[in-house]
Amino acid sequence: MKIKMLDLRAQYLNIKEEIDLSIKEVLESSNFINGDEVKKFSKNFENYLKVKNVIPCGNGTDALQIALMSLNLEKNDEVILPSFTFVSTVEVVVLLGLKAVFVDVFDDTFTINYKEIEKKINSKTRVIIPVHLFGQSAEMKEILEISKKYNLKIIEDNAQAVGTSYFFTDKKYKKTGTLGDISCYSFFPSKNLACFGDGGAIATNDDNLAKRIRSIANHGSVEKYFYEKIGVNSRLDTLQAGILNVKLKYLDKYNEKCKSIADFYDSKFYKIEDLQIPKRSKNSTHTFHQYTLILKNTNRKDFMEFLKTKNIPSAIYYPLPLHLQKSYSFLNYKIGDLPVSEFLSKNVVSIPIHTELIKEELNYITENILLFFNKN
Ligand SMILES: *Cc1c(COP(=O)(O)O)cnc(C)c1O
């Protein structure tokens, strides 16, 4: 058996007719930029998220950059974000001349530790960027309370948790990405809602922010050839929007599939003392962009090599936290500053989870992982 970390081809073949038709329609219209499918996608995604405005853009990194640009921040204003995440989150902060301030994450849900946020707030702090990592919401009730208390904006990095719901204490729920001021999406092929190339979007319930965001993504222009602000060029192309209109219909089903795989893994692994299964936050559903285990008393390299000999891929998200990356050394963080992020980087491992995994493959994966721990 040969297992894949992701099987985009098999997923495509299952919805081939619809996808091919959508691509064909765009080719025939030849409306490649801002065609009907783009407008349709904005509407569809607004309805899905239950949010007032969706502005499509080129990718998730652009989404974060444009979101920050829309907040009228000044040089050296401070932005709080976790260190245990993908690099985009900090990259755009620094590129815009803002100061990135890292906060540690919880050691079981991997999301930003809100208890640490308040310690990092000062008179220059303007924004918090919680990342809904691996498919699970950050602890938004507490983060929203902090943002109110200090008058901060919240940009949710929702690249990994599209379709996830957050539950408030009164059992009311909202989708992640509709909790803060602005939220950002990536439709990179490996994400839960994915196109066949690069794509992204920004969502907000604030109509004024939406207007600014739309303009910034379009060279800072409101009226063609007149520029009020310096902007960027960031668009979702019509072909990708057409693909997303098809795939959005399947998103809940895909997320359910990933959750059922995670439930199966949990049922096989929870008894293994040297494995910590991913904790489910009581305030969030989980859409399992990744299924990430924490290894205890186990050499990660040995574990991954064993799996490799069985044709089971595995991956490390993320092997070095952002505060210790060479490119961000000028921020003057050192080893020991964010101990949980550092611990996780050394001990996490993600195993295959995707919509096309079949029962035989899941049995094969779990049997081999059980075998590894029994013989050790
Ligand atoms: C994928 C991802 C991004 C960036 O998305 P791109 O489309 O690759 O630019 C940003 N943040 C997180 C947490 C991501 O996982």
Short mmCIF file of all heavy atoms in Angstrom, two decimals, residues 58-64 84-91 131-134 157-161 184-191 197-200 289 318, ligand 1:
data_model
loop_
_atom_site.label_atom_id
_atom_site.label_comp_id
_atom_site.label_asym_id
_atom_site.label_seq_id
_atom_site.Cartn_x
_atom_site.Cartn_y
_atom_site.Cartn_z
N GLY A 58 -5.56 37.36 -4.20
CA GLY A 58 -4.64 36.44 -4.87
C GLY A 58 -4.21 35.23 -4.07
O GLY A 58 -3.96 34.15 -4.63
N ASN A 59 -4.09 35.37 -2.77
CA ASN A 59 -3.65 34.26 -1.91
C ASN A 59 -3.83 34.67 -0.45
O ASN A 59 -4.19 35.81 -0.16
CB ASN A 59 -2.18 33.88 -2.21
CG ASN A 59 -1.25 35.07 -2.05
OD1 ASN A 59 -1.10 35.61 -0.96
ND2 ASN A 59 -0.66 35.50 -3.14
N GLY A 60 -3.55 33.75 0.45
CA GLY A 60 -3.77 34.01 1.88
C GLY A 60 -2.79 35.03 2.46
O GLY A 60 -3.14 35.78 3.38
N THR A 61 -1.58 35.04 1.92
CA THR A 61 -0.59 36.01 2.40
C THR A 61 -1.03 37.43 2.03
O THR A 61 -0.97 38.34 2.87
CB THR A 61 0.79 35.69 1.79
OG1 THR A 61 1.07 34.29 2.00
CG2 THR A 61 1.89 36.51 2.44
N ASP A 62 -1.47 37.61 0.80
CA ASP A 62 -2.01 38.90 0.38
C ASP A 62 -3.19 39.30 1.25
O ASP A 62 -3.34 40.48 1.62
CB ASP A 62 -2.51 38.84 -1.08
CG ASP A 62 -1.39 39.00 -2.09
OD1 ASP A 62 -0.23 39.10 -1.68
OD2 ASP A 62 -1.71 39.00 -3.30
N ALA A 63 -4.03 38.32 1.56
CA ALA A 63 -5.22 38.62 2.38
C ALA A 63 -4.79 39.24 3.71
O ALA A 63 -5.34 40.26 4.14
CB ALA A 63 -6.03 37.34 2.62
N LEU A 64 -3.78 38.65 4.34
CA LEU A 64 -3.29 39.19 5.61
C LEU A 64 -2.69 40.58 5.43
O LEU A 64 -2.91 41.48 6.24
CB LEU A 64 -2.24 38.24 6.21
CG LEU A 64 -2.77 36.93 6.78
CD1 LEU A 64 -1.66 35.89 6.91
CD2 LEU A 64 -3.43 37.18 8.15
N PHE A 84 3.95 29.89 16.75
CA PHE A 84 3.77 28.54 16.20
C PHE A 84 2.70 28.59 15.13
O PHE A 84 1.52 28.32 15.36
CB PHE A 84 3.38 27.58 17.35
CG PHE A 84 3.39 26.13 16.96
CD1 PHE A 84 4.58 25.49 16.61
CD2 PHE A 84 2.23 25.38 16.95
CE1 PHE A 84 4.60 24.15 16.25
CE2 PHE A 84 2.23 24.04 16.60
CZ PHE A 84 3.42 23.42 16.24
N THR A 85 3.10 29.01 13.93
CA THR A 85 2.18 29.13 12.80
C THR A 85 3.00 29.19 11.51
O THR A 85 4.22 29.15 11.55
CB THR A 85 1.28 30.39 12.92
OG1 THR A 85 0.44 30.51 11.76
CG2 THR A 85 2.10 31.67 13.02
N PHE A 86 2.29 29.30 10.39
CA PHE A 86 2.97 29.46 9.10
C PHE A 86 3.54 30.87 9.01
O PHE A 86 3.01 31.81 9.60
CB PHE A 86 1.97 29.19 7.96
CG PHE A 86 2.61 29.19 6.61
CD1 PHE A 86 3.62 28.29 6.30
CD2 PHE A 86 2.22 30.11 5.65
CE1 PHE A 86 4.22 28.30 5.05
CE2 PHE A 86 2.81 30.12 4.39
CZ PHE A 86 3.82 29.22 4.10
N VAL A 87 4.59 31.01 8.22
CA VAL A 87 5.37 32.25 8.20
C VAL A 87 4.61 33.48 7.72
O VAL A 87 4.90 34.61 8.12
CB VAL A 87 6.67 32.05 7.38
CG1 VAL A 87 6.35 31.89 5.88
CG2 VAL A 87 7.65 33.21 7.58
N SER A 88 3.60 33.28 6.86
CA SER A 88 2.87 34.43 6.29
C SER A 88 2.41 35.40 7.36
O SER A 88 2.41 36.61 7.16
CB SER A 88 1.60 33.97 5.58
OG SER A 88 1.91 33.13 4.53
N THR A 89 1.96 34.85 8.48
CA THR A 89 1.34 35.67 9.52
C THR A 89 2.28 36.78 9.99
O THR A 89 1.86 37.91 10.19
CB THR A 89 0.89 34.78 10.70
OG1 THR A 89 0.42 33.53 10.20
CG2 THR A 89 -0.21 35.44 11.49
N VAL A 90 3.57 36.46 10.13
CA VAL A 90 4.51 37.48 10.62
C VAL A 90 5.13 38.29 9.46
O VAL A 90 5.40 39.48 9.59
CB VAL A 90 5.64 36.85 11.48
CG1 VAL A 90 6.52 35.92 10.67
CG2 VAL A 90 6.49 37.95 12.12
N GLU A 91 5.32 37.61 8.35
CA GLU A 91 5.97 38.22 7.19
C GLU A 91 5.36 39.57 6.81
O GLU A 91 6.03 40.58 6.66
CB GLU A 91 5.79 37.24 6.04
CG GLU A 91 6.55 37.46 4.78
CD GLU A 91 6.32 36.23 3.89
OE1 GLU A 91 5.20 36.05 3.38
OE2 GLU A 91 7.27 35.46 3.71
N VAL A 131 -4.54 32.77 15.14
CA VAL A 131 -4.53 31.81 14.03
C VAL A 131 -5.34 30.59 14.47
O VAL A 131 -5.06 30.02 15.52
CB VAL A 131 -3.08 31.39 13.69
CG1 VAL A 131 -3.07 30.39 12.53
CG2 VAL A 131 -2.23 32.61 13.35
N HIS A 132 -6.33 30.21 13.68
CA HIS A 132 -7.14 29.03 14.02
C HIS A 132 -6.41 27.81 13.47
O HIS A 132 -6.74 27.28 12.42
CB HIS A 132 -8.54 29.17 13.44
CG HIS A 132 -9.25 30.43 13.88
ND1 HIS A 132 -9.32 30.80 15.21
CD2 HIS A 132 -9.88 31.40 13.18
CE1 HIS A 132 -10.00 31.94 15.31
NE2 HIS A 132 -10.33 32.32 14.09
N LEU A 133 -5.40 27.38 14.22
CA LEU A 133 -4.43 26.43 13.68
C LEU A 133 -4.98 25.01 13.54
O LEU A 133 -5.65 24.51 14.43
CB LEU A 133 -3.17 26.42 14.57
CG LEU A 133 -1.91 25.93 13.86
CD1 LEU A 133 -1.39 26.95 12.87
CD2 LEU A 133 -0.83 25.57 14.87
N PHE A 134 -4.64 24.39 12.44
CA PHE A 134 -4.93 22.98 12.14
C PHE A 134 -6.43 22.69 12.01
O PHE A 134 -6.83 21.53 11.91
CB PHE A 134 -4.32 22.03 13.18
CG PHE A 134 -2.82 22.11 13.30
CD1 PHE A 134 -2.20 21.77 14.50
CD2 PHE A 134 -2.03 22.51 12.23
CE1 PHE A 134 -0.81 21.83 14.63
CE2 PHE A 134 -0.65 22.58 12.35
CZ PHE A 134 -0.03 22.24 13.56
N ASP A 157 -6.64 34.82 11.31
CA ASP A 157 -6.01 34.04 10.23
C ASP A 157 -6.77 32.72 10.17
O ASP A 157 -6.53 31.81 10.96
CB ASP A 157 -4.52 33.84 10.51
CG ASP A 157 -3.82 33.11 9.37
OD1 ASP A 157 -4.52 32.44 8.58
OD2 ASP A 157 -2.59 33.20 9.27
N ASN A 158 -7.70 32.66 9.22
CA ASN A 158 -8.59 31.49 9.13
C ASN A 158 -8.21 30.60 7.96
O ASN A 158 -9.04 29.86 7.42
CB ASN A 158 -10.04 31.98 9.00
CG ASN A 158 -11.05 30.95 9.48
OD1 ASN A 158 -10.71 30.03 10.23
ND2 ASN A 158 -12.29 31.08 9.04
N ALA A 159 -6.93 30.66 7.56
CA ALA A 159 -6.48 29.88 6.40
C ALA A 159 -6.65 28.37 6.62
O ALA A 159 -6.81 27.62 5.67
CB ALA A 159 -5.02 30.20 6.09
N GLN A 160 -6.61 27.94 7.88
CA GLN A 160 -6.65 26.50 8.14
C GLN A 160 -7.96 26.03 8.75
O GLN A 160 -8.09 24.86 9.09
CB GLN A 160 -5.49 26.11 9.09
CG GLN A 160 -4.13 26.43 8.50
CD GLN A 160 -2.97 25.83 9.29
OE1 GLN A 160 -3.17 25.09 10.24
NE2 GLN A 160 -1.76 26.17 8.89
N ALA A 161 -8.93 26.92 8.91
CA ALA A 161 -10.12 26.50 9.65
C ALA A 161 -11.41 26.95 8.99
O ALA A 161 -12.40 27.29 9.66
CB ALA A 161 -10.05 27.03 11.09
N CYS A 184 -9.04 36.22 7.18
CA CYS A 184 -8.25 35.96 5.98
C CYS A 184 -8.24 34.48 5.64
O CYS A 184 -8.14 33.63 6.51
CB CYS A 184 -6.82 36.43 6.23
SG CYS A 184 -6.76 38.19 6.55
N TYR A 185 -8.33 34.21 4.33
CA TYR A 185 -8.43 32.84 3.82
C TYR A 185 -7.40 32.59 2.74
O TYR A 185 -7.08 33.48 1.96
CB TYR A 185 -9.83 32.61 3.20
CG TYR A 185 -10.89 32.81 4.23
CD1 TYR A 185 -11.33 34.10 4.53
CD2 TYR A 185 -11.37 31.75 4.97
CE1 TYR A 185 -12.24 34.32 5.54
CE2 TYR A 185 -12.29 31.96 5.98
CZ TYR A 185 -12.72 33.23 6.26
OH TYR A 185 -13.61 33.45 7.27
N SER A 186 -6.93 31.35 2.71
CA SER A 186 -6.09 30.89 1.62
C SER A 186 -6.80 29.72 0.96
O SER A 186 -7.35 28.86 1.65
CB SER A 186 -4.75 30.40 2.17
OG SER A 186 -4.09 29.61 1.19
N PHE A 187 -6.77 29.69 -0.37
CA PHE A 187 -7.33 28.55 -1.10
C PHE A 187 -6.23 27.76 -1.79
O PHE A 187 -6.44 27.12 -2.82
CB PHE A 187 -8.40 29.02 -2.10
CG PHE A 187 -9.46 29.88 -1.46
CD1 PHE A 187 -9.74 31.15 -1.95
CD2 PHE A 187 -10.16 29.42 -0.34
CE1 PHE A 187 -10.71 31.95 -1.34
CE2 PHE A 187 -11.12 30.23 0.27
CZ PHE A 187 -11.41 31.49 -0.23
N PHE A 188 -5.04 27.82 -1.23
CA PHE A 188 -3.91 27.00 -1.66
C PHE A 188 -4.38 25.54 -1.75
O PHE A 188 -5.22 25.12 -0.95
CB PHE A 188 -2.81 27.16 -0.58
CG PHE A 188 -1.52 26.47 -0.90
CD1 PHE A 188 -0.58 27.07 -1.72
CD2 PHE A 188 -1.23 25.22 -0.34
CE1 PHE A 188 0.62 26.43 -2.00
CE2 PHE A 188 -0.03 24.59 -0.61
CZ PHE A 188 0.90 25.18 -1.45
N PRO A 189 -3.86 24.77 -2.72
CA PRO A 189 -4.42 23.43 -2.96
C PRO A 189 -4.54 22.50 -1.75
O PRO A 189 -5.38 21.60 -1.74
CB PRO A 189 -3.46 22.86 -4.02
CG PRO A 189 -2.98 24.06 -4.76
CD PRO A 189 -2.87 25.16 -3.73
N SER A 190 -3.71 22.67 -0.74
CA SER A 190 -3.79 21.75 0.41
C SER A 190 -4.80 22.18 1.46
O SER A 190 -5.05 21.44 2.41
CB SER A 190 -2.41 21.63 1.06
OG SER A 190 -2.06 22.86 1.65
N LYS A 191 -5.40 23.35 1.33
CA LYS A 191 -6.32 23.82 2.37
C LYS A 191 -7.67 23.11 2.25
O LYS A 191 -7.99 22.54 1.22
CB LYS A 191 -6.53 25.33 2.27
CG LYS A 191 -5.26 26.14 2.18
CD LYS A 191 -4.52 26.28 3.51
CE LYS A 191 -3.17 26.91 3.26
NZ LYS A 191 -2.47 27.46 4.36
N GLY A 197 -4.59 26.18 -7.69
CA GLY A 197 -3.48 27.13 -7.83
C GLY A 197 -3.53 28.01 -6.61
O GLY A 197 -3.91 27.56 -5.53
N ASP A 198 -3.20 29.29 -6.77
CA ASP A 198 -3.27 30.21 -5.64
C ASP A 198 -4.61 30.94 -5.62
O ASP A 198 -5.17 31.25 -6.68
CB ASP A 198 -2.14 31.24 -5.73
CG ASP A 198 -0.84 30.69 -5.16
OD1 ASP A 198 -0.87 30.19 -4.02
OD2 ASP A 198 0.19 30.77 -5.85
N GLY A 199 -5.08 31.22 -4.43
CA GLY A 199 -6.30 32.00 -4.27
C GLY A 199 -6.44 32.39 -2.82
O GLY A 199 -5.84 31.77 -1.93
N GLY A 200 -7.22 33.44 -2.57
CA GLY A 200 -7.43 33.87 -1.19
C GLY A 200 -8.65 34.76 -1.09
O GLY A 200 -9.27 35.11 -2.11
N HIS A 289 -7.65 20.40 9.41
CA HIS A 289 -6.72 20.69 8.32
C HIS A 289 -5.48 19.79 8.48
O HIS A 289 -4.93 19.30 7.50
CB HIS A 289 -6.32 22.17 8.35
CG HIS A 289 -5.27 22.52 7.36
ND1 HIS A 289 -5.46 22.36 6.01
CD2 HIS A 289 -4.01 22.97 7.51
CE1 HIS A 289 -4.36 22.73 5.38
NE2 HIS A 289 -3.47 23.09 6.26
N TYR A 318 5.13 22.79 12.86
CA TYR A 318 6.18 23.43 12.11
C TYR A 318 7.50 23.13 12.81
O TYR A 318 7.54 23.16 14.04
CB TYR A 318 5.92 24.94 12.05
CG TYR A 318 4.62 25.21 11.28
CD1 TYR A 318 3.42 25.35 11.93
CD2 TYR A 318 4.63 25.26 9.87
CE1 TYR A 318 2.24 25.55 11.22
CE2 TYR A 318 3.45 25.48 9.16
CZ TYR A 318 2.26 25.62 9.84
OH TYR A 318 1.10 25.80 9.14
C1 LIG B 1 -1.59 28.75 4.11
C2 LIG B 1 -1.53 29.74 5.18
C3 LIG B 1 -1.33 31.11 4.91
C4 LIG B 1 -0.94 31.65 3.57
O1 LIG B 1 -1.68 31.31 2.49
P1 LIG B 1 -1.09 31.41 1.00
O2 LIG B 1 -2.30 31.26 0.16
O3 LIG B 1 -0.14 30.26 0.84
O4 LIG B 1 -0.43 32.71 0.83
C5 LIG B 1 -1.40 31.99 5.97
N1 LIG B 1 -1.60 31.58 7.22
C6 LIG B 1 -1.76 30.28 7.52
C7 LIG B 1 -1.99 29.90 8.94
C8 LIG B 1 -1.71 29.32 6.52
O5 LIG B 1 -1.85 28.03 6.83
#
